[in-house]
Amino acid sequence: MEIRIDAAGYAAPVVGQIMSHDDWPFVVTWVTLISGDVYELSIQMPLRAAIAVGDLINLRGVGRFEAVDEKAGNPAYDLQRVSKIQLSFREVLTR
């Protein structure tokens, strides 16, 4: 899927960059400069909501995620008083 963005005042987009629209993240897979600050981007992770002309694209991708396990992040200490936590998240798809 391809989209066009106007990045006036921002750094040029790069392959691998994670962007988002309305908290729906996507990855840039290729970038083509069209003119000035306008770029055409190929994106991966299908858009889950339509992007209208003029809608804002967050160039630093954000999303909505929840912990996979309710107890995630609760520290457990060993004899050396060191805690190692593991966090697992999944994207919230129902909105």
Side-chain angles (χ1 to χ4, degrees), residues 43-89:
I43 60 171
Q44 192 177 44
M45 294 170 82
L47 290 178
R48 297 176 186 104
I51 300 175
V53 173
D55 279 357
L56 294 176
I57 303 278
N58 192 332
L59 302 181
R60 290 186 183 178
V62 295
R64 298 181 191 180
F65 297 86
E66 64 186 0
V68 173
D69 180 11
E70 288 181 17
K71 296 179 183 178
N74 289 342
Y77 294 93
D78 62 17
L79 295 175
Q80 286 81 28
R81 296 185 188 164
V82 175
S83 177
K84 295 180 184 177
I85 61 171
Q86 289 187 332
L87 302 173
S88 296
F89 296 97

Side-chain angles (χ1 to χ4, degrees), residues 3-5 13 15 28 30-35 38-42:
I3 62 172
R4 281 194 181 183
I5 66 165
V15 172
V28 176
W30 61 255
V31 177
T32 300
L33 177 62
I34 300 299
S35 66
V38 176
Y39 296 88
E40 187 166 84
L41 311 175
S42 175

